[in-house]
Amino acid sequence: MADRLNSVAEKTDRTGTRNVWSVLPTVQDVLRLPVVIDALPEVLAGSDSLDSPVRWVHVSESLAVAKLLDGGELLLTTGAGWSTDDAELTRYIDDLVQVGVSGLVLELVQRYRTVPGAVLDACVRHGFPLIVVHREVKFVAITEAVHSGIISVQTGALRARDELRELFTDLSLRGSPADFIVKQLSQVLHSTVVLENLSHEVIAIEGEGLDAHEVLRHWEQKSRAAHRTADQAMVTGEDCADGWIVVPVEARGTRWGSLLALPGEPHPAGRAAVLVQGAIALALGRLADQDADEWLRLSHQRLLDMLLDGRYTNASSATARLESAGLPLAHRRTLIGLTIVGEEGASGSVAEAMTSAAASIGAHAVAGAVADWPATAELRSLHNAPLQLVVCLSLPADTPLGDRQLERLARQFAASAGISADKLTMGVGSKGSDVSGLLVSLHESIRLLEETSRPHRGLVIQHVADRPLLRLITALRDDPRVQEHAERMLRRLIDYDLDRNGDLLNVLAATLTHPTNRTAAAAASHLSRSVFYQRLALISNLLDVDLDDGETLASLQVAMFAR
């Protein structure tokens, strides 16, 4: 793993040809300066290396100049001090290449009319940029033009770094969550940025025009390859050839993960420097946050939000996101959606507790709190419980998952989360084999608990397979005919409740849950029997139906399930 960045974070990015430099110029940029164009430049060798950055311009006639250079210089000369010995001229070019000079500019006016053969041959052999100018030129004019531009770039880089430090310091002081910091990094870099944990599981990903399926497909392999490339680049002191940047998120000897930036446009402060500032902000957040499970909870919650809000372009995109977060979906996996409610709040981390509990039965899990999804609105109102959790469960197809395994899962989860298992109710959806089946199963488990009143005691596990009508209507929830039936049957009750802030839909739901026991239905509605019967009479009048008729109750049940 690349635990440090050496000097890469202090480098500004270089670019291709630019008339106005925002980063270090290249040899090609220098050739486009008016003062150089007027001297009639001609590239004789190294045309493929003209994108080499120019850190400085140096003028020298000495064949021993290489020992005075540090690399990255563009060397200007008339050749006045050159020897006529071909071996010395060849060694001269070899030394310049060895030290890392960006290129050589030779004026063909006074000493030479043509380039010495030994010099040209050596430059061609190394692919080293050799440029000749055919008119006399003031070297000081070239150095002044280039140096003023470089100084301006460096000043801009310092200013950009100060702005970055201010931005990410403010984010740290405000306690901004990790996903928001990643989003800011993506906007600054104009490229995709990924935060991953030490297992190469994606915690957060942000990018402009992001194609999640393309980026996250086979993410672990891509990430490990990027880390190896970064390690090699650190050893050689070079930038990553593939354009990826890898920065560790660590502090006080503890490493939590890495930030990765995919290829993008250069940044005045240097893309690596931007990523380092984000990594510092994330590390400070981890040090300040007492919740060691913040990243896991964040990752799982974002995934569930994506699924239940429908914020993904296609099934392949959703599959890539889930698998990159450590939830396997392929290779003969059984996928099941669970919903859990409880009467006691958890004292521990529910996401980590569920992950651990799933592992005890040979499964993987993604778990998150019930958010304000349309699919969970009724669940919130019916189960006023501190603990409300939805879970995506993935396990090998040949692994059994009966009530014994589910009870073990629930009790292991309760023990890890510090809650009472005997006050949990679990809704279990049907088995799926892909992300679409998983989404159906999640909806089924939510709807199942929407239709379930909490028993008095003991762990309760309910299966949608035991509720065939609920399962059927959930599978058909997007069918316009089913939606039209629900609207036709319930429209008057909906309008009444909206206009008067009424509770007729809740009363009807309780009645359908206890069709043969009006006392239990009244209790479930939290109404006295007399008031409950008044509500039933009003419902019957508004809908113009007989609530004692079996077919009518069945039609209303279908409509309520669809709603």
Side-chain angles (χ1 to χ4, degrees):
M1 294 291 183
D3 292 329
R4 57 191 177 89
L5 289 173
N6 287 345
S7 61
V8 69
E10 298 303 319
K11 297 179 182 178
T12 54
D13 293 329
R14 62 183 178 86
T15 182
T17 56
R18 292 174 182 250
N19 295 324
V20 179
W21 303 331
S22 60
V23 291
L24 282 180
T26 65
V27 175
Q28 182 69 62
D29 290 332
V30 175
L31 295 182
R32 292 186 173 184
L33 291 173
V35 66
V36 179
I37 292 175
D38 290 342
L40 300 180
E42 181 183 2
V43 179
L44 299 184
S47 58
D48 292 337
S49 300
L50 295 181
D51 62 347
S52 299
V54 176
R55 186 180 58 82
W56 206 244
V57 177
H58 190 75
V59 180
S60 177
E61 305 296 346
S62 171
L63 288 178
V65 68
K67 64 184 179 181
L68 303 177
L69 303 177
D70 294 325
E73 297 90 353
L74 180 64
L75 185 61
L76 309 182
T77 184
T78 65
W82 286 8
S83 169
T84 58
D85 187 332
D86 286 349
E88 288 190 36
L89 292 176
T90 298
R91 185 164 55 252
Y92 169 66
I93 298 300
D94 291 344
D95 290 344
L96 295 182
V97 172
Q98 179 68 29
V99 80
V101 171
S102 297
L104 175 66
V105 177
L106 173 63
E107 184 185 86
L108 297 182
V109 176
Q110 298 180 15
R111 171 73 187 275
Y112 291 105
R113 295 296 180 180
T114 60
V115 179
V119 171
L120 180 58
D121 290 344
C123 289
V124 170
R125 175 166 48 85
H126 288 294
F128 178 65
L130 171 63
I131 301 99
V132 296
V133 292
H134 296 282
R135 285 182 181 172
E136 187 175 29
V137 60
K138 291 182 178 181
F139 284 170
V140 68
I142 297 177
T143 59
E144 182 179 6
V146 176
H147 291 170
S148 63
I150 291 174
I151 292 172
S152 176
V153 167
Q154 292 173 340
T155 302
L158 291 173
R159 186 182 304 113
R161 286 174 184 161
D162 286 341
E163 292 173 353
L164 285 172
R165 291 189 187 97
E166 182 178 356
L167 168 63
F168 288 104
T169 297
D170 287 345
L171 293 177
S172 299
L173 293 176
R174 290 201 303 266
S176 297
D179 59 335
F180 186 74
I181 293 175
V182 173
K183 184 174 183 179
Q184 297 306 302
L185 285 169
S186 173
Q187 292 176 349
V188 170
L189 290 173
H190 300 291
S191 68
T192 298
V193 177
V194 178
L195 171 64
E196 64 176 17
N197 62 18
L198 294 178
S199 299
H200 300 274
E201 295 172 351
V202 173
I203 304 301
I205 177 172
E206 295 288 347
E208 298 177 353
L210 175 64
D211 184 349
H213 176 241
E214 183 62 29
V215 173
L216 296 179
R217 187 164 55 97
H218 307 308
W219 172 256
E220 183 176 355
Q221 295 93 314
K222 293 178 181 178
S223 172
R224 291 185 183 277
H227 278 267
R228 288 193 296 270
T229 303
D231 291 341
Q232 181 61 33
M234 189 171 61
V235 171
T236 61
E238 300 175 350
D239 293 336
C240 293
D242 56 9
W244 287 50
I245 300 175
V246 181
V247 173
V249 179
E250 59 186 358
R252 296 182 182 176
T254 299
R255 182 168 179 171
W256 295 283
S258 300
L259 276 170
L260 296 92
L262 275 63
E265 288 295 314
H267 189 276
R271 298 179 72 237
V274 176
L275 217 59
V276 166
Q277 290 298 318
I280 292 172
L282 289 167
L284 291 176
R286 289 305 303 258
L287 289 175
D289 197 335
Q290 299 301 314
D291 180 7
D293 189 42
E294 180 207 2
W295 285 9
L296 181 65
R297 186 184 68 252
L298 168 68
S299 172
H300 287 194
Q301 194 67 55
R302 283 168 62 91
L303 287 170
L304 289 165
D305 289 346
M306 172 200 70
L307 277 179
L308 291 172
D309 282 342
R311 288 191 279 111
Y312 56 92
T313 55
N314 51 53
S316 296
S317 174
T319 298
R321 283 180 178 262
L322 289 166
E323 289 190 331
S324 69
L327 188 75
L329 301 183
H331 307 298
R332 297 184 68 248
R333 306 292 296 189
T334 296
L335 309 175
I336 295 178
L338 307 176
T339 300
I340 300 173
V341 296
E343 296 181 6
E344 293 182 355
S347 60
S349 167
V350 293
E352 186 175 7
M354 180 52 69
T355 300
S356 174
S360 71
I361 63 169
H364 294 77
V366 165
V370 171
D372 293 326
W373 305 308
T376 60
E378 291 297 320
L379 184 64
R380 280 188 175 279
S381 63
L382 292 173
H383 294 272
N384 185 23
L387 174 66
Q388 297 177 335
L389 199 68
V390 287
V391 184
C392 296
L393 203 65
S394 171
L395 64 163
D398 57 356
T399 300
L401 188 68
D403 279 353
R404 184 168 61 87
Q405 288 80 18
L406 288 169
E407 180 176 354
R408 180 180 177 183
L409 172 74
R411 295 195 179 280
Q412 179 67 37
F413 162 71
S416 299
I419 61 178
S420 172
D422 289 334
K423 294 185 178 181
L424 293 181
T425 301
M426 176 188 293
V428 184
S430 57
K431 295 181 179 180
S433 58
D434 55 21
V435 71
S436 298
L438 175 61
L439 182 57
V440 169
S441 184
L442 277 176
H443 278 283
E444 289 175 346
S445 69
I446 293 168
R447 297 296 301 276
L448 180 60
L449 291 197
E450 286 176 4
E451 301 298 327
T452 301
S453 58
R454 170 69 194 168
H456 296 294
R457 65 182 62 183
L459 171 65
V460 177
I461 300 174
Q462 300 211 353
H463 297 267
V464 73
D466 298 331
R467 303 287 298 278
L469 180 59
L470 174 63
R471 182 177 181 181
L472 173 64
I473 300 305
T474 300
L476 298 175
R477 66 190 184 281
D478 293 328
D479 191 311
R481 292 169 296 182
V482 175
Q483 295 172 0
E484 192 277 334
H485 169 77
E487 178 65 18
R488 184 178 67 253
M489 293 293 295
L490 302 175
R491 183 176 61 247
R492 291 183 179 178
L493 295 189
I494 295 170
D495 291 343
Y496 184 94
D497 281 355
L498 290 176
D499 292 342
R500 298 170 176 79
N501 193 25
D503 60 354
L504 296 187
L505 284 173
N506 289 340
V507 171
L508 178 59
T511 302
L512 296 172
T513 302
H514 306 280
T516 62
N517 190 336
R518 295 294 167 85
T519 299
S525 301
H526 305 290
L527 299 173
S528 65
R529 283 175 57 88
S530 60
V531 173
F532 177 77
Y533 279 110
Q534 291 174 6
R535 297 285 200 279
L536 284 185
L538 180 57
I539 291 172
S540 180
N541 289 333
L542 286 173
L543 299 182
D544 192 23
V545 297
D546 179 6
L547 294 180
D548 291 323
D549 179 69
E551 184 174 346
T552 297
L553 291 178
S555 297
L556 288 171
Q557 184 69 276
V558 169
M560 289 294 287
F561 281 166
R563 175 171 167 76

